[in-house]
């Protein structure tokens, strides 16, 4: 049965218009981006298959375009639409942070860093530089490493903080393995960063570790 033959209240487009996007499942939202299915499957069925084979949702969306193009049901137009949707979400999150108020909510910064760093094939260490009101004044990817580590130099973080005239910093890095549990090395570099930044009167507000699930906040763990 084609989606057009479904009861009106169950069609993804009508459901979104009547009840809002939050009422749709991952497959239904993905189906709206795909627009149509493949032979023998409607858009929702195609979306469900893609999620079953390549999901969860964030794992599918964060695939590089070349890999998306190899998936049945995703051509150039759909691959571009998926990557554009992900980038729009990241830019929307950044716009929210730039307004300042969102930075007082740690999960907002964690979500933004996750959108930037999750799915990278190697470790990337990044920083959000904040003004005295905790509004974002800059985002920098400072260090890149291997699949299991990145060397972090506190003096470079200090240099960038001075260059941005920052009053506070939030840092984050990804674990390509998907396990977001901070390592002893992660905790040690956090303390080194906190001490180095304190010498120039800049506060380290948080250090997020990005994996497959929710970002882990070291501040929430009481480690900052």
């Amino acid at each position: 049965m084609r989606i057009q033959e479904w009861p009106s209240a169950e069609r993804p487009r009508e459901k979104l218009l009547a009840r809002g996007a939050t009422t749709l499942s991952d497959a239904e939202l993905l189906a709206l981006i795909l627009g149509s299915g493949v032979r023998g499957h409607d858009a929702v069925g195609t979306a469900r298959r893609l999620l079953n084979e390549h999901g969860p949702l964030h794992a599918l969306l964060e695939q590089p375009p070349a890999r998306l193009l190899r998936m049945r049901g995703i051509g150039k137009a759909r691959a571009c639409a998926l990557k554009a949707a992900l980038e729009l979400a990241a830019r929307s999150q950044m716009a929210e942070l730039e307004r300042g108020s969102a930075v007082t909510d740690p999960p907002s910064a964690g979500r933004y860093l996750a959108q930037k760093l999750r799915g990278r094939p190697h470790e990337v260490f990044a920083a959000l530089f904040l003004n005295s009101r905790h509004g974002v004044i800059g985002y920098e990817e400072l260090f890149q490493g291997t699949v299991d580590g990145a060397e972090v130099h506190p003096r470079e973080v200090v240099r960038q903080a001075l260059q941005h005239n920052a009053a506070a910093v939030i840092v984050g890095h990804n674990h390509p393995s998907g396990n977001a549990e901070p390592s002893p090395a992660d905790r040690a570099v956090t303390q080194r960063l906190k001490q180095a930044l304190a010498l120039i009167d800049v506060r380290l507000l948080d250090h997020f570790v990005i994996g497959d699930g929710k970002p882990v906040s070291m501040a929430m763990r009481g480690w900052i």
Side-chain angles (χ1 to χ4, degrees):
M1 181 184 294
R2 296 180 304 167
I3 290 178
Q4 291 87 341
E5 298 171 351
W6 292 10
S8 178
E10 297 304 315
R11 299 174 198 164
R13 190 174 298 163
E14 285 76 4
K15 191 173 172 181
L16 183 151
L17 292 172
R19 289 181 271 167
T22 58
T23 64
L24 273 64
S25 68
D26 289 351
E28 289 170 330
L29 289 169
L30 183 57
L32 288 176
I33 297 175
L34 295 176
S36 61
V38 298
R39 185 182 297 274
H41 298 276
D42 58 39
V44 174
T46 299
R48 286 175 180 152
R49 180 182 57 77
L50 286 167
L51 289 170
N52 286 337
E53 294 178 1
H54 307 286
L57 182 62
H58 73 79
L60 173 63
L61 293 178
E62 289 159 2
Q63 295 292 335
R67 191 169 297 172
L68 287 173
L69 290 171
R70 293 198 293 269
M71 298 178 187
R72 182 169 176 261
I74 298 181
K76 287 183 179 180
R78 290 173 178 175
C80 289
L82 289 171
K83 300 310 291 185
L86 186 63
E87 181 61 23
L88 279 172
R91 294 186 186 188
S92 174
Q93 185 70 44
M94 188 60 179
E96 180 184 358
L97 291 177
E98 286 173 343
R99 289 197 293 270
S101 59
V103 181
T104 61
D105 173 26
S108 295
R111 286 192 298 271
Y112 176 74
L113 289 167
Q115 288 170 337
K116 285 290 191 181
L117 303 178
R118 184 182 284 142
R120 300 287 189 92
H122 49 263
E123 279 203 12
V124 178
F125 185 94
L128 285 166
F129 297 97
L130 316 177
N131 61 26
S132 59
R133 295 184 178 181
H134 293 178
V136 175
I137 53 178
Y139 168 81
E140 301 283 351
E141 294 185 359
L142 300 174
F143 310 106
Q144 297 193 16
T146 63
V147 295
D148 59 0
E151 188 173 359
V152 176
H153 301 282
R155 65 181 179 181
E156 178 61 19
V157 181
V158 168
R159 189 180 73 82
Q160 290 292 331
L162 289 169
Q163 184 170 318
H164 285 283
N165 196 27
V169 178
I170 295 173
V171 299
H173 76 282
N174 63 311
H175 281 177
S177 68
N179 181 2
E181 187 62 26
S183 68
D186 294 336
R187 295 181 63 178
V189 79
T190 301
Q191 291 306 310
R192 290 169 54 211
L193 284 170
K194 180 179 177 180
Q195 293 165 6
L197 288 166
L199 293 174
I200 58 168
D201 200 25
V202 173
R203 289 184 61 201
L204 178 64
L205 298 181
D206 210 336
H207 182 174
F208 287 94
V209 182
I210 311 301
D212 287 338
K214 292 175 61 176
V216 172
S217 162
M218 293 202 193
M220 296 292 287
R221 294 273 185 99
W223 294 342
I224 293 180

